[in-house]
Amino acid sequence: VTAISRPEAGKPAADNSDYKGVWVYIEHFDGKVRSVGYELLGEGRKLAEAMGQELAAVVIGQGVEHLAKDMFASGADKVYLVEGSEYKHYSTDAYTIALTDLINTYKPSVILMGATNDGRDLGPRVACRVGTGLTADCTNLGIDEETGLVAWTRPAFGGNIMATILCPNHRPQMGTVRPNVFKRPEQDMSRSGELVRVASKVKPEDIRTKLIEVLSLSDTASCNLEEAQFIVSGGRGMGKPENFALIEELANILGGAVGASRAAVDAGWKPAIHQVGQTGKTVAPKVYIACGISGAIQHLAGMSTSDIIIAINKDADAPIFKSADFGIVGDVLEVLPVLIEELKKI
Ligand code: FAD
């Protein structure tokens, strides 16, 4: 089912002709762009070409000018760069001021952001400051043929319908997009573009929060599902929460993240941050190991883009085997310890 909210009939359309260009907000950590940034540049390029406008990347941080080359290679025509010590780590106050100022000055028509922790914090706040709306957690983007507006599609009502939302009257059209739903574009290192350095407007008194500690990626690796190359996921077939220790051990050996089916999350065996699927995270690791997961369509919706899927299930007829590249028919509580022992030997 698709629900489309169209401009109100009979109402004159607002004059938004000042607003031009598609922007992608680039999230980075430890000097590296998070993969959702590349995915959105690929998608942003398609929108910009369909709209006959240019694509720009917005990079805010400290010591991040080197990322511009990467942005041009990934499809950006322009990079807006705001640098300063106040942007060393993500801060709601500083980043909100910087992005709001950029929008008010340069007036983009569309802004894409990752539906990550930072994007979910920054996007709605900036949208409110510039007086526009935001479609959160999109899983598809396109152009509405009738209006030429960006068509933002996202699951609604607990994933029971896919709603397509248009932003007819206000600018920019803003949305956050789930990581891993789009492929990274091929890079063309011969591309170049225009680097626009923008002075920071943030004053020390604008920053109302104090950063106490920054956790390294390894501290949070087990729930960093979006960027993980290996994911070991457990479902109801794990039997009880204590058995997730096997999932965690295997994920740890592989340097990967821990996923869970909704059944395991609903049972309280793992926090919702680990849920993979239509109403959880969309993941695209090199290897996804599904343990005691039946393979319901809503689970597959979040992991079927994995390069290699390995399923362990005691029921040879479980639907997960239809999507799996390798299947092990057996009891997870017997198979996982053997797998862990063998991998420890490598
Ligand atoms: P089950 O379907 O109960 O499967 C358990 C599997 O474990 C079975 O195949 C069984 O053979 C196997 N098993 C049991 N014991 C063992 C053992 N000892 N060794 C090996 N195998 C064993 N689900 C999600 O995962 N993510 C979502 O985002 C999501 N969103 C949803 C949104 C909507 C709107 C709806 C309606 C549902 C959603 N669901 C989602 C739920 C989904 O439909 C399934 O109910 C859920 O994925 C089932 O989880 P499961 O595979 O762990 O459990």
Side-chain angles (χ1 to χ4, degrees):
V1 178
T2 300
I4 301 189
S5 134
R6 291 201 181 276
E8 252 179 77
K11 258 197 156 182
D15 179 13
N16 290 314
S17 52
D18 281 1
Y19 288 82
K20 287 203 175 64
V22 177
W23 283 14
V24 175
Y25 170 77
I26 299 297
E27 215 175 290
H28 52 85
F29 187 80
D30 265 354
K32 291 197 198 87
V33 172
R34 284 199 185 273
S35 51
V36 67
Y38 296 112
E39 293 156 22
L40 294 185
L41 283 172
E43 227 27 49
R45 184 83 239 154
K46 290 184 204 156
L47 292 179
E49 281 173 10
M51 293 163 68
Q53 298 184 8
E54 63 180 16
L55 175 69
V58 175
V59 183
I60 304 171
Q62 184 186 29
V64 285
E65 189 173 329
H66 66 281
L67 300 179
K69 200 171 161 15
D70 215 16
M71 303 296 93
F72 297 136
S74 305
D77 302 307
K78 205 177 243 182
V79 171
Y80 291 101
L81 178 73
V82 189
E83 284 199 298
S85 55
E86 60 277 36
Y87 306 115
K88 182 167 185 215
H89 297 293
Y90 174 76
S91 120
T92 305
D93 290 322
Y95 277 59
T96 300
I97 291 170
L99 187 55
T100 305
D101 178 55
L102 283 173
I103 294 170
N104 288 334
T105 309
Y106 296 98
K107 301 194 185 317
S109 178
V110 178
I111 304 186
L112 309 177
M113 305 173 82
T116 58
N117 288 344
D118 291 2
R120 285 177 171 143
D121 180 56
L122 182 63
R125 192 175 290 263
V126 170
C128 182
R129 294 254 177 124
V130 299
T132 188
L134 177 137
T135 309
D137 227 13
C138 297
T139 53
N140 204 6
L141 299 172
I143 298 283
D144 179 57
E145 280 183 14
E146 201 179 304
T147 58
L149 295 165
V150 175
W152 309 84
T153 301
R154 52 154 297 160
F157 297 107
N160 289 303
I161 65 161
M162 297 306 283
T164 298
I165 295 166
L166 309 180
C167 177
N169 288 320
H170 299 93
R171 291 293 178 275
Q173 304 167 73
M174 284 183 74
T176 57
V177 180
R178 277 197 198 187
N180 295 318
V181 294
F182 296 116
K183 288 255 171 252
R184 281 169 79 133
E186 293 285 321
Q187 288 199 320
D188 173 0
M189 296 317 278
S190 67
R191 277 188 98 253
S192 59
E194 184 190 351
L195 178 63
V196 183
R197 288 188 188 81
V198 182
S200 169
K201 297 267 169 66
V202 174
K203 299 188 279 302
E205 62 271 25
D206 292 329
I207 301 179
R208 296 166 297 175
T209 48
K210 186 173 161 207
L211 184 67
I212 295 167
E213 190 187 358
V214 179
L215 298 176
S216 74
L217 261 189
S218 60
D219 297 330
T220 54
S222 84
C223 40
N224 189 16
L225 289 156
E226 282 102 339
E227 311 243 331
Q229 298 291 302
F230 291 88
I231 294 178
V232 188
S233 262
R236 205 191 321 255
M238 292 307 296
K240 54 183 179 180
E242 293 74 25
N243 292 339
F244 262 79
L246 290 168
I247 300 276
E248 275 144 28
E249 195 176 354
L250 182 55
N252 202 20
I253 292 171
L254 296 171
V258 172
S261 72
R262 176 151 152 188
V265 169
D266 285 351
W269 298 354
K270 288 306 285 178
I273 194 172
H274 293 275
Q275 186 179 314
V276 172
Q278 186 179 312
T279 39
K281 289 183 173 162
T282 306
V283 299
K286 285 207 164 75
V287 180
Y288 187 88
I289 308 180
C291 308
I293 293 177
S294 59
I297 190 155
Q298 296 89 355
H299 189 80
L300 299 178
M303 46 62 88
S304 50
T305 47
S306 307
D307 288 350
I308 296 173
I309 297 172
I310 302 173
I312 308 170
N313 198 303
K314 68 176 183 187
D315 174 5
D317 295 323
I320 190 80
F321 288 127
K322 291 204 175 79
S323 307
D325 299 283
F326 299 97
I328 302 171
V329 179
D331 186 331
V332 271
L333 302 182
E334 289 170 13
V335 176
L336 282 175
V338 176
L339 206 52
I340 289 167
E341 278 321 301
E342 288 303 314
L343 283 168
K344 275 185 182 164
K345 289 180 196 162
I346 299 172

